[in-house]
Amino acid sequence: MNEEQLKELVRGVLAGQGEPGNNLFDRHKMERVIDAAVAKADELKVGVTICIMDQATTPQMIYHMPNANLVSVTLAPKKAWSAIAMKEPTKNISRDIQPGGPLYQMETMLDGRLVSFPGGIPLEIGDIAIGAIGVSGGLIEEDQAICEAAVAAFLKESN
Protein backbone atom coordinates (compact mmCIF):
# COMPACT_ATOMS: atom_id res chain seq x y z
CA MET A 1 0.00 0.00 0.00
CA ASN A 2 1.48 3.34 -1.01
CA GLU A 3 1.26 6.59 0.94
CA GLU A 4 -1.68 7.97 -1.06
CA GLN A 5 -3.68 4.77 -0.54
CA LEU A 6 -2.95 4.93 3.20
CA LYS A 7 -4.11 8.56 3.34
CA GLU A 8 -7.31 7.66 1.51
CA LEU A 9 -7.93 4.78 3.92
CA VAL A 10 -7.49 7.08 6.93
CA ARG A 11 -9.77 9.70 5.38
CA GLY A 12 -12.39 7.00 4.87
CA VAL A 13 -12.11 5.88 8.49
CA LEU A 14 -12.39 9.45 9.73
CA ALA A 15 -15.38 10.09 7.45
CA GLY A 16 -17.12 7.00 8.87
CA GLN A 17 -16.71 8.05 12.49
CA GLY A 18 -20.46 7.99 13.11
CA GLU A 19 -20.86 4.44 11.82
CA PRO A 20 -20.96 1.71 14.46
CA GLY A 21 -17.57 0.05 14.87
CA ASN A 22 -15.71 2.80 12.97
CA ASN A 23 -15.52 5.44 15.66
CA LEU A 24 -11.88 5.96 16.64
CA PHE A 25 -13.13 7.71 19.77
CA ASP A 26 -15.64 5.05 20.76
CA ARG A 27 -16.25 5.16 24.51
CA HIS A 28 -15.36 1.50 25.03
CA LYS A 29 -12.10 1.85 23.10
CA MET A 30 -11.18 4.96 25.08
CA GLU A 31 -11.96 3.17 28.35
CA ARG A 32 -9.43 0.48 27.37
CA VAL A 33 -6.89 3.21 26.59
CA ILE A 34 -7.52 4.79 29.99
CA ASP A 35 -7.17 1.34 31.58
CA ALA A 36 -3.76 0.91 29.92
CA ALA A 37 -2.66 4.34 31.16
CA VAL A 38 -3.89 3.63 34.70
CA ALA A 39 -2.08 0.27 34.69
CA LYS A 40 1.17 2.03 33.78
CA ALA A 41 0.53 4.74 36.40
CA ASP A 42 -0.13 2.06 39.03
CA GLU A 43 3.09 0.28 38.02
CA LEU A 44 4.95 3.58 38.56
CA LYS A 45 2.97 4.23 41.78
CA VAL A 46 1.74 7.65 40.67
CA GLY A 47 -1.68 9.26 40.25
CA VAL A 48 -2.40 11.12 37.01
CA THR A 49 -5.09 12.68 34.90
CA ILE A 50 -5.42 11.35 31.35
CA CYS A 51 -7.07 13.37 28.57
CA ILE A 52 -7.92 11.97 25.13
CA MET A 53 -8.64 14.78 22.66
CA ASP A 54 -9.75 14.68 19.02
CA GLN A 55 -8.22 16.73 16.20
CA ALA A 56 -10.75 19.53 16.77
CA THR A 57 -9.28 19.79 20.32
CA THR A 58 -12.49 18.53 21.89
CA PRO A 59 -11.80 16.38 24.96
CA GLN A 60 -13.35 12.99 24.24
CA MET A 61 -12.55 11.43 27.62
CA ILE A 62 -10.79 12.63 30.76
CA TYR A 63 -10.04 10.47 33.77
CA HIS A 64 -8.60 11.80 37.03
CA MET A 65 -7.19 9.08 39.28
CA PRO A 66 -8.24 9.49 42.92
CA ASN A 67 -4.60 9.88 44.03
CA ALA A 68 -3.69 12.48 41.37
CA ASN A 69 -2.79 16.06 42.17
CA LEU A 70 -5.46 18.65 41.44
CA VAL A 71 -3.19 20.59 39.07
CA SER A 72 -3.13 17.60 36.72
CA VAL A 73 -6.80 18.22 35.82
CA THR A 74 -5.72 21.50 34.22
CA LEU A 75 -2.43 20.33 32.73
CA ALA A 76 -3.46 17.06 31.02
CA PRO A 77 -5.85 18.76 28.54
CA LYS A 78 -3.26 21.51 27.95
CA LYS A 79 -0.67 18.86 27.10
CA ALA A 80 -3.06 17.20 24.63
CA TRP A 81 -3.94 20.59 23.10
CA SER A 82 -0.26 21.52 22.80
CA ALA A 83 0.57 18.25 21.04
CA ILE A 84 -2.20 18.92 18.50
CA ALA A 85 -1.41 22.62 18.07
CA MET A 86 2.31 22.04 17.56
CA LYS A 87 1.93 18.69 15.72
CA GLU A 88 4.62 17.12 17.88
CA PRO A 89 5.11 15.59 21.31
CA THR A 90 5.26 18.22 24.02
CA LYS A 91 8.67 16.93 25.11
CA ASN A 92 10.05 18.33 21.81
CA ILE A 93 8.59 21.81 22.19
CA SER A 94 10.88 22.99 24.98
CA ARG A 95 14.02 23.32 22.86
CA ASP A 96 12.29 25.70 20.42
CA ILE A 97 10.89 28.09 23.03
CA GLN A 98 14.09 28.61 25.01
CA PRO A 99 15.93 31.97 24.76
CA GLY A 100 17.55 32.03 21.35
CA GLY A 101 15.15 29.38 20.03
CA PRO A 102 13.03 30.01 16.94
CA LEU A 103 9.81 30.13 18.98
CA TYR A 104 11.14 31.97 22.04
CA GLN A 105 8.30 33.37 24.19
CA MET A 106 5.57 31.43 22.37
CA GLU A 107 4.22 30.22 25.73
CA THR A 108 3.56 33.78 26.87
CA MET A 109 2.00 34.71 23.52
CA LEU A 110 -0.57 31.93 23.93
CA ASP A 111 -1.66 33.05 27.41
CA GLY A 112 -0.30 29.94 29.09
CA ARG A 113 -2.14 27.40 26.90
CA LEU A 114 1.06 25.88 25.51
CA VAL A 115 2.78 23.20 27.58
CA SER A 116 6.41 22.53 26.75
CA PHE A 117 7.29 19.57 28.92
CA PRO A 118 6.70 15.82 28.44
CA GLY A 119 3.33 14.13 28.68
CA GLY A 120 1.50 15.13 25.48
CA ILE A 121 1.67 13.07 22.29
CA PRO A 122 -0.26 13.48 19.01
CA LEU A 123 -2.32 10.53 17.81
CA GLU A 124 -1.45 9.76 14.20
CA ILE A 125 -2.66 7.15 11.78
CA GLY A 126 -0.25 7.12 8.88
CA ASP A 127 0.79 10.75 8.69
CA ILE A 128 -2.63 12.13 9.59
CA ALA A 129 -3.10 13.61 13.06
CA ILE A 130 -6.46 12.60 14.51
CA GLY A 131 -6.02 13.87 18.08
CA ALA A 132 -3.70 13.66 21.06
CA ILE A 133 -3.34 12.29 24.56
CA GLY A 134 -2.15 14.35 27.51
CA VAL A 135 -1.06 12.94 30.87
CA SER A 136 -0.18 14.92 33.97
CA GLY A 137 0.42 14.21 37.64
CA GLY A 138 3.77 12.51 37.97
CA LEU A 139 7.33 13.45 37.27
CA ILE A 140 7.73 14.43 33.63
CA GLU A 141 9.41 11.10 32.85
CA GLU A 142 6.46 9.26 34.42
CA ASP A 143 3.92 11.36 32.52
CA GLN A 144 5.75 10.62 29.28
CA ALA A 145 5.90 6.85 29.94
CA ILE A 146 2.21 6.73 30.85
CA CYS A 147 1.29 8.79 27.79
CA GLU A 148 3.34 6.47 25.56
CA ALA A 149 1.46 3.47 27.01
CA ALA A 150 -1.87 5.23 26.35
CA VAL A 151 -0.92 6.11 22.76
CA ALA A 152 0.18 2.52 22.09
CA ALA A 153 -3.15 1.25 23.45
CA PHE A 154 -5.09 3.79 21.36
CA LEU A 155 -3.30 2.77 18.17
CA LYS A 156 -3.85 -0.92 18.99
CA GLU A 157 -7.57 -0.24 19.51
CA SER A 158 -7.71 1.61 16.18
CA ASN A 159 -6.55 -1.40 14.15
Side-chain angles (χ1 to χ4, degrees):
M1 181 176 292
N2 68 32
E3 187 174 332
E4 192 54 41
Q5 290 170 321
L6 181 60
K7 285 181 182 179
E8 192 57 36
L9 178 65
V10 171
R11 281 188 199 99
V13 168
L14 292 174
Q17 284 291 298
E19 299 173 20
N22 283 343
N23 187 355
L24 293 171
F25 295 96
D26 172 78
R27 178 177 58 88
H28 300 293
K29 291 178 184 178
M30 288 189 296
E31 287 172 352
R32 290 188 291 272
V33 171
I34 297 289
D35 289 344
V38 168
K40 184 66 175 178
D42 286 344
E43 174 187 319
L44 296 173
K45 297 179 176 37
V46 63
V48 297
T49 299
I50 304 116
C51 176
I52 303 171
M53 193 174 276
D54 68 15
Q55 66 183 6
T57 68
T58 303
Q60 295 298 305
M61 185 171 281
I62 298 175
Y63 178 68
H64 178 79
M65 294 175 66
N67 59 332
N69 294 326
L70 185 57
V71 70
S72 67
V73 173
T74 299
L75 286 175
K78 283 186 172 194
K79 287 182 180 186
W81 181 89
S82 298
I84 294 168
M86 297 299 288
K87 298 181 181 172
E88 66 179 326
T90 56
K91 71 177 186 169
N92 297 345
I93 297 171
S94 182
R95 67 176 180 261
D96 291 336
I97 63 167
Q98 297 302 313
L103 301 175
Y104 179 54
Q105 294 188 338
M106 181 175 253
E107 286 177 305
T108 57
M109 292 177 198
L110 292 172
D111 297 322
R113 285 186 75 188
L114 186 69
V115 174
S116 62
F117 43 88
I121 301 175
L123 294 169
E124 297 175 339
I125 296 180
D127 64 347
I128 298 175
I130 60 157
I133 297 179
V135 174
S136 181
L139 300 173
I140 57 172
E141 298 83 4
E142 293 168 334
D143 289 354
Q144 183 67 23
I146 296 163
C147 194
E148 288 171 2
V151 168
F154 185 94
L155 295 175
K156 179 181 174 189
E157 289 292 332
S158 299
N159 289 332

